Amino acid sequence: MCGIIGFAGKAEAVPVLLDGLERLEYRGYDSAGIAVVSEDGALQVKKSKGRLSVLQKLLETQEPLSGNIGIGHTRWATHGEPNDTNAHPHVGQGGKIAVVHNGIIENYLEIKQSLMRKGFVFSSDTDTEVIVQLLEYYYRKKSDLLEAVYDVLNRIKGAYALGILCSDFPDQIVAARKDAPLLIGYGEDGNYIASDATALLAHTRTVTYMEDDEVAVLTAEGVRIFDGDRSLLEKEKHTIEWDVSAAEKCGYAHFMLKEIMEQPEAVRKTISCRIADKEIVLEELKDAKELLKNISRIYIVACGSAYHVGMVGKYALEKLLHIPVEASLASEFRYSEPLLGESALVIVISQSGETLDSMAALREAKRKGSRVLSIVNVMGSSIARESDYVLYTWAGPEIAVATTKAYTTQMVLLLLLGVYLAKQSDIIVREEYGKIVGEFQKLPEKISAVLNNLKDYQKSASRYFNHNSVFYIGRNVDYALGLEGSLKLKEISYIHSESYAAGELKHGTISLIEPGTLVIALAMYEPLAEKTLSNIVEVRSRGAEVIAITTELTAQLIGSQSSELFVLPETHPLLQPVLGVIPLQLFAYYVALNRGCDIDKPRNLAKSVTVE
């Protein structure tokens, strides 16, 4: 959520800032703005509510901004409604300092009241304006920008990624971070800050990831990075392996469809480097056998779709490892007094590796002595850096807000982990292990087979897109899949939908079924297919229309009671959810398309949630 871009270089800053903001649109936002320092030291700011196109028109119709140094921001409203005044950048009362900010300042009201008593006047409802006014207060006292920045950081509490301009220092940007992602890019024409590497790909792939409590000063000539004690640091530089084409639509109507279609290759990348000579090889977990010796409980902690991966993982890992596994929402984890300690392994799943609730859960687990293993997509992200073990999905950039290939690769990697740990602990028999490994290797081909039937999902969506309420039912892992299918439909089509464990229908939910109600029945878990069939019969007898998704093994059984049937290739039961989620993604996509929704940027949502 929210996006930051900054540039200090030799070229005009405005085109660089607008290009970066355009590439950050996928993160979700409701206003945008830029600030540029001109050659003569004037601070120039333009910002507006709405899409980036509104800001671009504003810049075209008014006096152009000129300068070689600037900061830009796309805002997702937290404090204060979306409007021009609350948009970033925010400018101090003296008109010299501009700030862009991701995160939330927890003690902003206390600081705001203190500054108002000193004569400061606030124009916005945001916590960010408190930062810039406080910065101006300290700058007036000391006339040293860097000293003033450190004074501010020592005063504020909460999460922040900051980009700061001061017209008295027209050749530099100051950046700072704590609990919110911020990286530095090194280019031939200048240097950059960004909240996401996607914003920099057109200019550089060489980056440094800022750590908590670090402060950076950027000019066209170079970058200096300081720690919390103001000591100069030598930071490692990293190369982003994917290029700008990976963050473009490449002929697809939407990023979401592109990313759905990329799943065979994404899964292949996740698997190929981890299976050799019919063996699962996880170099990151060489001491796996020793790790599991004292583990009596596993927590899988995540938010949103990643939590749904954890729900599938709970069923799989308990079956494979014979250890109790609990899937926990990261936002609830710290407050439920989990039984942590040396006997608990905590698996944190996050696409961005920056999800704040997941980050807080990780730190709580480590504070109480638990080992933490993370599954993330972004190298060098905060969760990856602070985990004891990290497994990267290698899914490549995911631009659409509604996750597809990140979800699938997370699931594949979690299942790979479960089978690997079972083998290392001598729990799984050799024959079963060989079958599962073989099916892992066939997954990309079978996902491609599901994707060959796009017209079937288009046709189905065109029949059902006008329903106002949809129910997903399933048992065991099918119930977990239903949670993800329901979320996808809600996220991008704005249709109310819910997922229920099918056996719970008779305990209240069936009262909502009436003639014409759409029910999506998931019956891919073969051992419980007959029981799911009885639930399909229950809703059909009350007039529901049923779309059923099953495998070749039970197609005849389930199809006999369905209005519409999607049949998936059969694989090992452990891996069936990987194939099962594809129809749910496609159905949601085509329903949203029929409803004319903004599929890649659904309302009120952000790609990476970096506030609590």
Side-chain angles (χ1 to χ4, degrees):
M1 60 198 312
C2 300
I4 287 175
I5 179 70
F7 173 68
K10 302 166 186 174
E12 282 290 331
V14 171
V16 176
L17 299 176
L18 291 177
D19 177 72
L21 293 180
E22 189 172 349
R23 296 179 189 280
L24 291 172
E25 281 191 291
Y26 77 99
R27 294 175 68 91
Y29 71 104
D30 44 50
S31 62
I34 61 173
V36 175
V37 178
S38 65
E39 285 187 13
D40 60 1
L43 182 63
Q44 312 158 86
V45 177
K46 296 291 182 187
K47 56 184 184 176
S48 64
K49 174 188 173 182
R51 294 295 190 198
L52 186 60
S53 57
V54 178
L55 176 64
Q56 290 169 325
K57 284 182 182 177
L58 193 66
L59 291 166
E60 290 168 4
T61 56
Q62 297 184 4
E63 187 176 342
L65 306 189
S66 179
N68 304 132
I69 187 165
I71 51 177
H73 191 268
T74 51
R75 175 180 185 255
W76 191 83
T78 53
H79 294 71
E81 65 180 79
N83 60 32
D84 291 357
T85 303
N86 289 332
H88 296 212
H90 285 282
V91 179
Q93 194 164 291
K96 286 187 173 185
I97 301 172
V99 169
V100 292
H101 164 229
N102 287 356
I104 285 181
I105 304 306
E106 295 168 1
N107 60 338
Y108 84 102
L109 275 177
E110 168 199 325
I111 298 171
K112 185 174 184 176
Q113 289 165 359
S114 171
L115 289 170
M116 289 172 70
R117 288 193 293 269
K118 291 179 173 66
F120 281 80
V121 177
F122 288 78
S123 60
S124 79
D125 302 314
T126 68
D127 54 341
T128 303
E129 191 182 0
V130 167
I131 298 172
V132 71
Q133 301 287 29
L134 184 63
L135 182 55
E136 179 149 316
Y137 168 73
Y138 284 122
Y139 181 60
R140 284 181 191 173
K141 291 177 69 175
K142 298 189 175 181
S143 298
D144 185 314
L145 182 61
L146 200 56
E147 284 285 325
V149 168
Y150 274 104
D151 286 344
V152 169
L153 300 185
N154 288 332
R155 182 90 179 269
I156 60 178
K157 297 176 183 176
Y160 54 79
L162 299 174
I164 302 165
L165 288 183
C166 179
S167 57
D168 288 345
F169 300 86
D171 64 338
Q172 70 180 38
I173 297 172
V174 179
R177 76 147 274 175
K178 183 178 182 295
D179 293 335
L182 195 65
L183 53 86
I184 295 167
Y186 303 87
E188 292 182 5
D189 296 325
N191 297 299
Y192 307 80
I193 60 168
S195 53
D196 189 313
T198 309
L200 305 182
L201 289 178
H203 310 285
T204 182
R205 292 196 291 160
T206 304
V207 301
T208 289
Y209 299 97
M210 291 187 70
E211 304 278 358
D212 282 355
D213 302 319
E214 290 182 351
V215 174
V217 178
L218 293 81
T219 66
E221 285 73 36
V223 177
R224 291 177 295 151
I225 304 174
F226 305 89
D227 65 13
D229 296 322
R230 311 184 195 190
S231 298
L232 192 62
L233 300 172
E234 289 291 331
K235 296 277 289 185
E236 184 181 356
K237 294 180 181 179
H238 302 269
T239 301
I240 301 168
E241 297 299 331
W242 39 277
D243 59 27
V244 70
S245 65
E248 295 177 345
K249 290 180 185 173
C250 300
Y252 286 95
H254 297 93
F255 278 112
M256 184 177 178
L257 181 59
K258 173 179 179 275
E259 289 154 10
I260 289 172
M261 301 303 290
E262 286 175 343
Q263 287 176 112
E265 183 58 27
V267 168
R268 185 176 288 109
K269 286 180 179 177
T270 302
I271 291 171
S272 61
C273 59
R274 294 179 167 114
I275 296 180
D277 298 324
K278 300 182 180 179
E279 292 285 347
I280 298 173
V281 181
L282 296 181
E283 291 292 336
E284 306 93 329
L285 285 175
K286 289 181 179 177
D287 62 341
K289 198 165 188 175
E290 194 65 28
L291 168 66
L292 279 184
K293 264 186 183 178
N294 301 315
I295 298 299
S296 60
R297 188 179 189 89
I298 296 175
Y299 291 96
I300 305 175
V301 181
C303 303
S305 291
Y307 167 71
H308 299 156
V309 171
M311 290 284 288
V312 173
K314 168 189 164 58
Y315 291 110
L317 266 60
E318 284 187 335
K319 190 174 292 186
L320 287 164
L321 302 177
H322 307 161
I323 295 174
V325 179
E326 183 177 336
S328 298
L329 288 164
S331 57
E332 294 290 328
F333 184 70
R334 287 176 292 157
Y335 312 116
S336 62
E337 299 186 12
L339 302 174
L340 296 168
E342 292 182 2
S343 62
L345 172 66
V346 176
I347 300 173
V348 177
I349 307 175
S350 169
Q351 188 271 333
S352 67
E354 302 289 351
T355 310
L356 193 60
D357 282 319
S358 299
M359 191 74 216
L362 180 156
R363 288 172 176 168
E364 177 72 1
K366 294 199 74 172
R367 187 178 71 83
K368 292 189 173 179
S370 297
R371 294 289 185 93
V372 176
L373 182 153
S374 64
I375 294 176
V376 299
N377 189 38
V378 180
M379 286 192 70
S381 56
S382 298
I383 288 174
R385 292 197 304 273
E386 295 195 27
S387 299
D388 298 298
Y389 310 92
V390 58
L391 300 175
Y392 290 107
T393 57
W394 307 122
E398 188 176 66
I399 306 302
V401 168
T403 182
T404 51
K405 65 176 181 176
Y407 172 93
T408 311
T409 52
Q410 287 168 354
M411 187 192 299
V412 167
L413 194 46
L414 185 58
L415 296 174
L416 263 176
L417 172 66
V419 176
Y420 175 78
L421 293 177
K423 172 69 162 43
Q424 295 299 307
S425 304
D426 301 318
I427 298 172
I428 193 169
V429 298
R430 183 74 208 182
E431 184 182 0
E432 180 72 358
Y433 175 77
K435 283 181 185 176
I436 296 173
V437 172
E439 286 299 319
F440 267 119
Q441 293 176 302
K442 294 175 185 175
L443 273 177
E445 178 186 342
K446 292 186 177 183
I447 294 172
S448 294
V450 179
L451 293 172
N452 284 336
N453 300 314
L454 295 184
K455 288 184 179 178
D456 294 340
Y457 302 104
Q458 285 178 285
K459 184 178 178 181
S460 181
S462 69
R463 289 181 59 190
Y464 297 110
F465 74 92
N466 56 356
H467 279 69
N468 294 319
S469 193
V470 178
F471 298 98
Y472 291 72
I473 61 172
R475 291 172 179 263
N476 198 272
V477 290
D478 286 336
Y479 164 57
L481 272 185
L483 292 169
E484 177 62 11
S486 175
L487 178 61
K488 280 291 151 290
L489 193 67
K490 279 183 280 204
E491 281 180 314
I492 61 171
S493 73
Y494 318 138
I495 294 174
H496 168 262
S497 67
E498 299 292 341
S499 177
Y500 295 98
E504 288 295 295
L505 278 174
K506 58 183 71 68
H507 296 288
T509 310
I510 203 163
S511 66
L512 297 172
I513 304 298
E514 58 188 15
T517 300
L518 179 60
V519 174
I520 298 178
L522 310 180
M524 290 161 281
Y525 185 60
E526 193 273 333
L528 296 178
E530 288 188 356
K531 291 189 179 294
T532 302
L533 178 64
S534 69
N535 301 125
I536 294 173
V537 171
E538 284 177 338
V539 296
R540 285 271 291 188
S541 68
R542 286 158 178 82
E545 296 184 69
V546 176
I547 298 175
I549 304 173
T550 190
T551 68
E552 296 156 346
L553 194 65
T554 53
Q556 190 171 354
L557 176 73
I558 301 299
S560 64
Q561 293 296 323
S562 305
S563 313
E564 199 161 324
L565 183 69
F566 296 123
V567 181
L568 303 181
E570 193 181 346
T571 184
H572 189 281
L574 191 73
L575 308 185
Q576 199 67 57
V578 180
L579 301 181
V581 75
I582 311 295
L584 304 179
Q585 296 169 349
L586 288 168
F587 181 75
Y589 172 78
Y590 285 117
V591 165
L593 190 65
N594 274 278
R595 291 169 70 90
C597 298
D598 191 349
I599 292 173
D600 286 336
K601 298 188 281 282
R603 67 190 183 202
N604 301 331
L605 296 181
K607 182 65 175 171
S608 177
V609 181
T610 54
V611 297
E612 290 189 80

